[in-house]
Amino acid sequence: MIETPENNALNAKVARIKELGAKVKGYIIDVTDSASVDAVVAEAVKDFGKIDISVHVAGGSARIVSPLAGSVLIYQKDYVIDRVLKVNLYGAMYVGRAVGRYMVENGVKGGRIISFSSTVGVNGLKGCCDYGAAKA
């Protein structure tokens, strides 16, 4: 695996969970790409034999992808809106669909799919119209 800050952080978390005695493996996934999500779900099933819970926490705001981050909607660029919706809305849908499909097709009983959101989806936040819409 290529060393990046993301990989190093993932490896540190995996090592900590292993110290606690759990069987664990970390996966790098692009939640904006449904094929990537499907591939990781298939790999997790191969590695662990089944999936009975999924916890989806991926998210990001325009502040990550745009120098105009925090701008009001009328100044926001299309690519920024697109990226924010893909990470926050499509990502949750792709993960839920892939895991849900696996659970239904394999008769998983009592399975859980948990997707985290943000209070911005309920309360809003100045300059974050796209993020708030995606999290709502």
Side-chain angles (χ1 to χ4, degrees), residues 18-75:
K18 282 182 181 178
E19 287 174 8
L20 297 172
K23 182 178 178 186
V24 63
K25 180 177 178 184
Y27 303 92
I28 301 293
I29 185 172
D30 178 358
V31 297
T32 70
D33 176 19
S34 65
S36 175
V37 173
D38 291 344
V40 168
V41 167
E43 188 175 347
V45 170
K46 184 182 73 160
D47 292 341
F48 293 95
K50 67 176 183 165
I51 295 177
D52 50 23
I53 187 167
S54 169
V55 180
H56 174 259
V57 188
S61 75
R63 289 181 286 279
I64 296 169
V65 294
S66 171
L68 297 175
S71 294
V72 294
L73 181 61
I74 61 173
Y75 300 117

Side-chain angles (χ1 to χ4, degrees), residues 86-100:
K86 282 184 175 179
V87 169
N88 294 286
L89 176 59
Y90 286 36
M93 301 308 283
Y94 291 159
V95 170
R97 180 179 66 185
V99 173

Side-chain angles (χ1 to χ4, degrees), residues 1-13 27-29:
M1 182 178 288
I2 299 170
E3 283 209 25
T4 66
E6 295 83 12
N7 292 348
N8 292 340
L10 175 64
N11 291 335
K13 299 286 189 238
Y27 303 92
I28 301 293
I29 185 172

Side-chain angles (χ1 to χ4, degrees), residues 69-86:
S71 294
V72 294
L73 181 61
I74 61 173
Y75 300 117
Q76 202 59 272
K77 301 291 186 189
D78 289 351
Y79 78 92
V80 174
I81 294 168
D82 185 58
R83 183 69 181 169
V84 170
L85 291 175
K86 282 184 175 179

